[in-house]
């Protein structure tokens, strides 16, 4: 949707995302599309153009090539990824992909976005993506979890009546890091069948199977994110870090402490920008958990480990006490105004 004024109508097509509940099955908004399948390309497979030429001959349109950089974003607790969603910035647009296909087209929520994708969702410019993210993320801040170079080449197969019956996309992803573009870590074929031409799509998929292409058992989005930032179950951040078998108790304590610290960082920007008083509240809850952890397991920690950290955390807790008191005071503004006679209430404006 190009116009910011009519994004609400676009959002209404995605009631599952809007309510924060992931739909059970992907639902295509494009009425011309029947089904979509994705196939991994092993090294031993013949080049896709060769397969297309052998099967379709003159009936296949020459491919259109597109190259773009994608950045993926999520909260510090991997809130979106755990729901099967992918937040992707492509050029000057922000996409919320709900089906994991990473087609980044009309079937996904999108809105213009030229700035940095960071901070709480409610700080994003108004649009369908921002509105869908707000109830999902709450006070959690967004961060970039990985970038890659995306190359796609598209073919269209036309039948004898010159009607397009199948679209085929060859896609590759290259990791972007300090050294620039790396070798592709994912190359796949996405087959888009058009409604009324299921036989053509099934015939092409049978040929892909014969040639050794492998149907993906998981979504392309999850494969890309796993390659960029690890498995979603890996306890990088969040509230439930894993304790590995054979790990020392001291290492386990620091593993959990690191997870809590990372989760606290997810609320810092919301506190600084005064987005919501819940940011500070959640921050302080995590801080108390971290201090309790170090206190309960002090016997397995070295003094050199425990004392500096506990001192720093105590200082941090003291600095948030007054700030929380102010938050609670401001949240009670209506109550305090009720205690003052109505003609005198304007005098409280110097306080609030």
């Amino acid at each position: 949707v190009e116009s910011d004024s009519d994004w609400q109508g676009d959002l209404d097509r995605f009631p599952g995302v809007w309510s924060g509940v992931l739909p059970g099955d992907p639902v295509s908004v494009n009425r011309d599309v029947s089904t979509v399948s994705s196939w991994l390309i092993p090294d031993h497979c013949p080049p896709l153009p060769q397969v297309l030429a052998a099967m379709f001959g003159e009936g296949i349109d020459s491919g259109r090539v597109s190259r773009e950089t994608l950045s993926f974003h999520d909260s510090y607790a991997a809130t979106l990824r755990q729901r099967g969603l992918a937040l992707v910035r492509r050029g000057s647009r922000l996409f919320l992909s709900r089906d994991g296909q990473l087609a980044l087209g009309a079937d996904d929520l999108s809105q213009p976005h030229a700035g940095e994708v960071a901070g709480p969702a409610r700080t994003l410019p108004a649009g369908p993506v921002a509105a869908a993210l707000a109830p999902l993320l709450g006070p959690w801040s967004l961060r970039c979890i990985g970038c890659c170079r995306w190359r796609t080449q598209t073919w269209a197969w036309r039948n004898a009546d010159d009607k397009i019956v199948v679209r085929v996309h060859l896609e590759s992803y290259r990791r972007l890091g300090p050294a620039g573009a790396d070798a592709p870590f994912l190359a796949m074929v996405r087959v888009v069948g058009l409604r009324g031409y299921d036989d053509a799509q099934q015939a092409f998929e049978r040929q892909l199977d014969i040639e050794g292409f492998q149907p993906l058992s998981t979504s392309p989005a999850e494969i890309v994110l796993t390659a960029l930032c690890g498995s979603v179950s890996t306890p990088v951040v969040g509230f439930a870090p894993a304790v590995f078998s054979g790990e020392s108790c001291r290492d386990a304590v620091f593993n959990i402490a690191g997870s809590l610290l990372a989760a606290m960082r997810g609320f810092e920007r919301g506190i600084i920008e005064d987005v919501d008083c819940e940011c500070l509240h959640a921050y302080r809850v995590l801080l108390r958990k971290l201090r309790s952890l170090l206190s309960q397991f002090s016997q397995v920690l070295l003094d050199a480990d425990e004392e500096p950290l506990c001192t720093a955390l105590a200082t941090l807790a003291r600095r948030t006490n007054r700030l929380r008191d102010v938050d609670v005071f401001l949240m009670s503004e209506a109550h305090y105004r009720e205690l003052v006679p109505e003609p005198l209430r304007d005098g409280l404006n110097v306080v609030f």
Side-chain angles (χ1 to χ4, degrees), residues 229-243:
C229 52
S231 171
V232 70
S233 61
T234 301
V236 179
V237 296
F239 301 94
V243 177

Side-chain angles (χ1 to χ4, degrees), residues 23-106:
D25 297 307
V27 178
S28 175
V29 175
N30 189 339
R31 299 181 185 276
D32 294 330
V33 173
S34 176
T35 57
V36 179
S37 64
S38 298
W39 300 69
L40 197 62
I41 307 177
D43 294 338
H44 63 272
C45 289
L48 181 63
Q50 179 179 320
V51 177
L52 292 169
M55 186 170 182
F56 303 132
E58 299 298 325
I60 193 78
D61 288 353
S62 58
R64 184 180 72 254
V65 179
S66 175
R67 296 179 178 86
E68 295 187 77
T69 298
L70 305 181
S71 62
F72 295 83
H73 306 265
D74 204 342
S75 74
Y76 282 78
T79 309
L80 301 179
R81 194 174 171 193
Q82 293 184 45
R83 287 171 167 80
L85 304 173
L87 181 62
V88 187
R89 180 178 175 182
R90 172 188 174 188
S92 60
R93 294 197 71 84
L94 194 61
F95 291 83
L96 183 61
S97 177
R98 68 187 295 209
D99 62 2
Q101 290 295 331
L102 289 183
L104 305 183

Side-chain angles (χ1 to χ4, degrees), residues 160-173:
D161 298 327
D162 200 36
K163 294 183 180 295
I164 297 177
V165 295
V166 175
R167 295 187 187 276
V168 181
H169 305 269
L170 173 61
E171 300 179 349
S172 64
Y173 298 83

